[in-house]
Amino acid sequence: MKKLKNLKLILGIVVMVIYSIFFVLIQTGALNPYYGQILIVLGINIILAVSLNLVIGFTGQLALGHAGFMSIGGYTAAIMSLNYNLPFFISLVIGGLVSAVIGFLIGMPILRLKGDYLAITTLGFGEIIRVAVVNMDFLGGPRGLAGIPKKTNFTWVYFITLFTVIIIYNIIRSPYGRAMLSIREDEIASESMGINTTKFKMMAFVIASFFAGIAGGLYAHQFMFLDPKSFDFLKSFEILTFVVFGGMGSLSGSLMATTVLTYLPEVLRTFAEYRMIIYAASLVMLMLFRPQGIMGNKEINLAHIKEFILCKLLRKCKKKGGAFNVTIEG
């Protein structure tokens, strides 16, 4: 228990140190504003990736309509700010709740489907949402919604992203998360053990929809404009790529993959016309040589990272079999 408290304290300190460094760099102008914006996009992408991983990686349900819920949250939060002048946080929460409600209503009929049928159905609902937005004049229609106040900043994105990761992590470590994992491994066996599989699939779907809506609200108040084309099926596939690249069933993998795939196109800008070819080739190579993704379904063991730091910095090594070993937990 004491070691756990110490680990949490160390993690808390690391989190605040990282935040302080980037906050100072942004406020003083030492960090290029363009890269500051990429940091914000990274945070939004992490929220989308870890929330979708709850459905696909931990519950085993192939849902492809995440961009639709992102658009619902984005448009709802934008309307709350534009028409009702609500505080930013309240607008975000309302956007997330509306996305969760829509997710619940959509999930009721479709989450009884499995496999490819579920994937096709969720993809179709995502497109229905986009087409519906295009035909709503009060949302700007095909012209998009402009004039959204810029309220998203690094602080908001950093702590909301941190909150999302902590919540998802605690869910998968809870009895509810164990039930979701059992559905992923064998849904028929789970049902035979008395687990209400539809209930837990719905729970994962609604939670993921809520956080997708929050990400949409942050996106809307960062770019101050919403275009329905930004939330088409290609956006859903982009979010799916983050999950698959990192490893379905691994939050650590989602964090790594989202960071790499968000920054890789920017790093490759010097190659101009070749950058997207290199980006695509990187994904193909990973799928060929490591189809389970960067981390598979494993997580980084934070306790071993702590021991590693103590070993390297304080020379307090705990040797196992004559050599220090850093492992990952399943």
Side-chain angles (χ1 to χ4, degrees), residues 248-259:
M248 292 187 290
S250 171
L251 291 183
S252 307
S254 292
L255 294 175
M256 293 179 190
T258 306
T259 302

Side-chain angles (χ1 to χ4, degrees), residues 12-313:
I13 293 172
V14 170
V15 164
M16 292 309 300
V17 167
I18 293 173
Y19 166 74
S20 301
I21 291 172
F22 281 109
F23 181 80
V24 170
L25 290 174
I26 292 171
Q27 292 298 314
T28 59
L31 183 67
N32 189 307
Y34 175 75
Y35 292 109
Q37 179 169 289
I38 298 299
L39 270 177
I40 290 175
V41 172
L42 172 61
I44 294 172
N45 285 342
I46 289 174
I47 295 171
L48 292 167
V50 298
S51 59
L52 183 60
N53 208 348
L54 180 66
V55 177
I56 295 179
F58 294 100
T59 315
Q61 307 303 304
L62 186 56
L64 299 178
H66 218 48
F69 299 110
M70 181 185 178
S71 68
I72 292 171
Y75 276 99
T76 301
I79 291 298
M80 293 299 104
S81 295
L82 281 171
N83 294 353
Y84 302 100
N85 199 28
L86 292 179
F88 180 47
F89 180 73
I90 301 299
S91 298
L92 287 180
V93 173
I94 292 176
L97 290 175
V98 171
S99 294
V101 171
I102 299 297
F104 177 79
L105 295 176
I106 291 176
M108 286 178 66
I110 69 172
L111 286 178
R112 298 181 185 277
L113 300 173
K114 300 176 183 178
D116 298 340
Y117 301 103
L118 177 61
I120 293 170
T121 307
T122 52
L123 182 62
F125 272 109
E127 285 300 292
I128 289 171
I129 292 170
R130 185 184 64 82
V131 173
V133 170
V134 169
N135 289 279
M136 293 180 180
D137 288 335
F138 73 96
L139 294 180
R143 302 179 306 277
L145 184 63
I148 304 169
K150 182 175 174 58
K151 296 183 178 181
T152 300
N153 56 37
F154 174 72
T155 300
W156 277 109
V157 172
Y158 185 86
F159 286 106
I160 291 177
T161 302
L162 181 66
F163 173 77
T164 303
V165 173
I166 291 173
I167 291 297
I168 300 296
Y169 177 82
N170 281 283
I171 287 174
I172 62 178
R173 296 289 173 174
S174 70
Y176 299 105
R178 297 300 179 187
M180 294 173 189
L181 288 172
S182 71
I183 295 171
R184 180 191 70 184
E185 297 301 325
D186 193 325
E187 187 169 343
I188 295 176
S190 298
E191 289 178 345
S192 67
M193 294 298 292
I195 294 174
N196 187 338
T197 57
T198 302
K199 170 187 172 182
F200 287 104
K201 287 192 290 185
M202 177 71 75
M203 183 183 298
F205 196 70
V206 170
I207 292 171
S209 300
F210 172 79
F211 284 112
I214 295 291
L218 292 170
Y219 178 92
H221 289 86
Q222 169 63 22
F223 294 99
M224 300 178 287
F225 177 77
L226 289 175
D227 183 354
K229 295 178 182 177
S230 301
F231 306 104
D232 59 7
F233 69 92
L234 292 177
K235 183 64 177 178
S236 291
F237 281 119
E238 179 187 355
I239 304 167
L240 177 64
T241 302
F242 297 148
V243 176
V244 175
F245 191 91
M248 292 187 290
S250 171
L251 291 183
S252 307
S254 292
L255 294 175
M256 293 179 190
T258 306
T259 302
V260 170
L261 296 180
T262 300
Y263 279 97
L264 186 59
E266 308 306 322
V267 173
L268 296 175
R269 280 192 182 276
T270 53
F271 295 95
E273 65 271 17
Y274 299 108
R275 71 186 183 93
M276 294 312 296
I277 297 176
I278 298 173
Y279 178 87
S282 302
L283 296 178
V284 172
M285 294 297 288
L286 179 79
M287 291 299 101
L288 286 175
F289 296 102
R290 191 170 175 80
Q292 70 269 38
I294 295 175
M295 294 292 293
N297 61 356
K298 301 182 184 300
E299 300 286 358
I300 293 175
N301 191 321
L302 297 177
H304 284 286
I305 291 179
K306 175 189 172 184
E307 291 180 7
F308 180 79
I309 293 173
L310 291 175
C311 176
K312 294 297 182 182
L313 298 182

